[in-house]
Amino acid sequence: MKRLKLLFTMLLLTISAATFAQNGMTMELWPNGAPNASSDVNDKAELTVYLPDEKKATGRAVVCCPGGGYSHLAMDHEGHQWATFFNNQGIALIVLKYRMPHGNRMIPISDAEEAMKTVRRRASEWHINPVDVGIMGFSAGGHLASTIATHSTGDAAPNFQILFYPVITMDLGFTHKGSHDNFLGEGHSKKELRKLEANFSNDLQVNRTTPRAFLALSDDDKAVPAANGFNYYEQLYKHDVPASIHIYPTGGHGWGYRESFAYHYEMVFELKAWLQSF
C-alpha cells in the first residue's frame, strides 16, 4: 500500500511538472538604471515572479539564482521549471536573471541583493511574509546565493538558503575555475587575489547568524567537486546553523529540475519535507 501511494504521488508530481505553473510576471530589476554598469549594455537584470493561488499562499517566497559559470544562465531547468513545485506548496518563486560579472563581482551581487529587497518591498502586494524570504542557487548561482547568505545584511539577507551542487569555495584546488575567473576577474596582484579568494570562499564566512540551509549534490560531480557543498555543510554544523545535506551517488552536474536525474523524486520529496520542517 505504501509503495502504491508513493507511485501515485510521483505520478501527480510528473503531471504537475508537465503542465507547468501559471505564467510568470516579468519585470526589470533596475527600472531606473543599475548602480553597477555592465560592460555588456544588452545584459539586463530581470525578475520573473510566480505567485501561488492566494488561497494556498503561505507567505513564503524563494528568490532563485540559476547557474551557468557566471558566463550564462540555465534559466529553464534551474529556474522557471521550479515554479509549479513551489507554487503547489503555497510558496512564491521569483526567478532572477542576474547580469554576468565580466570580472566585476559587484554586478551579480548587487542584482541578487536588489532582488531580495524588491521582494520585501512588494511583500504586501504579493502576499509575502518579509521575514520568510529565502534564496536558492545552482552551481555558480549557488555561489551567488551563498554569498548573499553569508555577506548580505538588512533587507538583502535571506531567512533560509537552498543550494544545489553549489560552487562554494574560490580555492583553485576545489572551485570551478570558470566561475572563479569570471567572478573575480583579472589584473589582481597575488596578495589581492588571495584576499578575494578567501573573502568569497563562503565556507570561511559562515557564522552563527548564517541562515538555515538545504544542500543537494552528486558524489560523482566532475564539474564542481562535492567537497564544495560538504565543506559548507561542515561549517554550518560547527556554527550550530540548522542544515540538511543530501549527496546522491550519481547524477553528475547540472540536473536542476530535470526528471532524467535518477534521484529526482527523492530530491523533490526531501526538499518538500525540509521546507515543511520550519
Side-chain angles (χ1 to χ4, degrees):
M1 180 62 71
K2 287 184 178 179
R3 181 173 177 79
L4 183 62
K5 185 177 179 180
L6 175 62
L7 289 172
F8 180 69
T9 304
M10 289 170 67
L11 178 63
L12 289 178
L13 283 169
T14 302
I15 293 170
S16 66
T19 53
F20 203 59
Q22 64 204 59
N23 292 329
M25 173 183 65
T26 300
M27 54 186 285
E28 280 190 54
L29 179 64
W30 302 102
N32 299 316
N36 294 291
S38 172
S39 59
D40 181 356
V41 295
N42 295 314
D43 192 7
K44 304 292 185 182
E46 295 178 341
L47 296 178
T48 302
V49 182
Y50 296 93
L51 299 177
D53 186 285
E54 286 186 28
K55 295 179 181 178
K56 296 178 66 175
T58 63
R60 178 167 288 176
V62 173
V63 172
C64 176
C65 305
Y70 284 123
S71 66
H72 63 281
L73 293 176
M75 293 295 296
D76 289 330
H77 68 286
E78 294 180 351
H80 303 299
Q81 289 179 20
W82 284 88
T84 296
F85 170 80
F86 285 104
N87 284 180
N88 281 349
Q89 296 176 72
I91 301 172
L93 180 71
I94 297 88
V95 180
L96 169 63
K97 177 183 175 291
Y98 56 92
R99 294 169 297 156
M100 297 300 98
H102 301 295
N104 181 354
R105 60 195 176 278
M106 291 312 301
I107 289 176
I109 290 174
S110 62
D111 286 354
E113 289 193 329
E114 181 63 14
M116 296 295 297
K117 292 176 182 178
T118 298
V119 171
R120 289 189 167 114
R121 278 199 302 267
R122 302 189 70 164
S124 178
E125 176 187 351
W126 292 346
H127 305 286
I128 287 169
N129 179 354
V131 295
D132 198 7
V133 181
I135 195 163
M136 176 169 75
F138 303 76
S139 192
H143 180 263
L144 180 58
S146 63
T147 296
I148 302 306
T150 54
H151 290 71
S152 299
T153 59
D155 284 346
N159 300 108
F160 57 93
Q161 54 183 317
I162 303 169
L163 307 177
F164 289 87
Y165 39 87
V167 177
I168 292 293
T169 184
M170 288 286 109
D171 183 333
L172 284 172
F174 294 97
T175 192
H176 176 254
K177 191 173 186 303
S179 299
H180 170 284
D181 294 351
N182 291 329
F183 182 73
L184 296 181
E186 301 176 343
H188 306 294
S189 68
K190 288 184 178 180
K191 183 178 180 180
E192 289 172 336
L193 184 58
R194 284 197 298 269
K195 185 176 180 180
L196 285 171
E197 287 173 340
N199 190 33
F200 291 102
S201 290
N202 294 327
D203 52 325
L204 304 180
Q205 307 307 321
V206 172
N207 59 45
R208 283 176 168 76
T209 67
T210 301
R212 67 177 65 233
F214 175 96
L215 295 98
L217 43 143
S218 298
D219 184 61
D220 64 347
D221 192 333
K222 304 302 181 186
V224 178
N228 278 260
F230 183 79
N231 290 343
Y232 192 61
Y233 170 80
E234 185 177 39
Q235 290 304 314
L236 293 167
Y237 179 82
K238 286 182 177 179
H239 289 83
D240 299 320
V241 176
S244 179
I245 187 168
H246 305 269
I247 306 176
Y248 304 105
T250 60
H253 188 77
W255 26 268
Y257 200 78
R258 288 174 175 154
E259 292 179 14
S260 58
F261 172 47
Y263 299 93
H264 172 79
Y265 292 107
E266 287 88 344
M267 176 272 293
V268 166
F269 291 142
E270 287 160 353
L271 176 54
K272 183 176 181 180
W274 181 78
L275 288 165
Q276 292 174 345
S277 71
F278 63 96

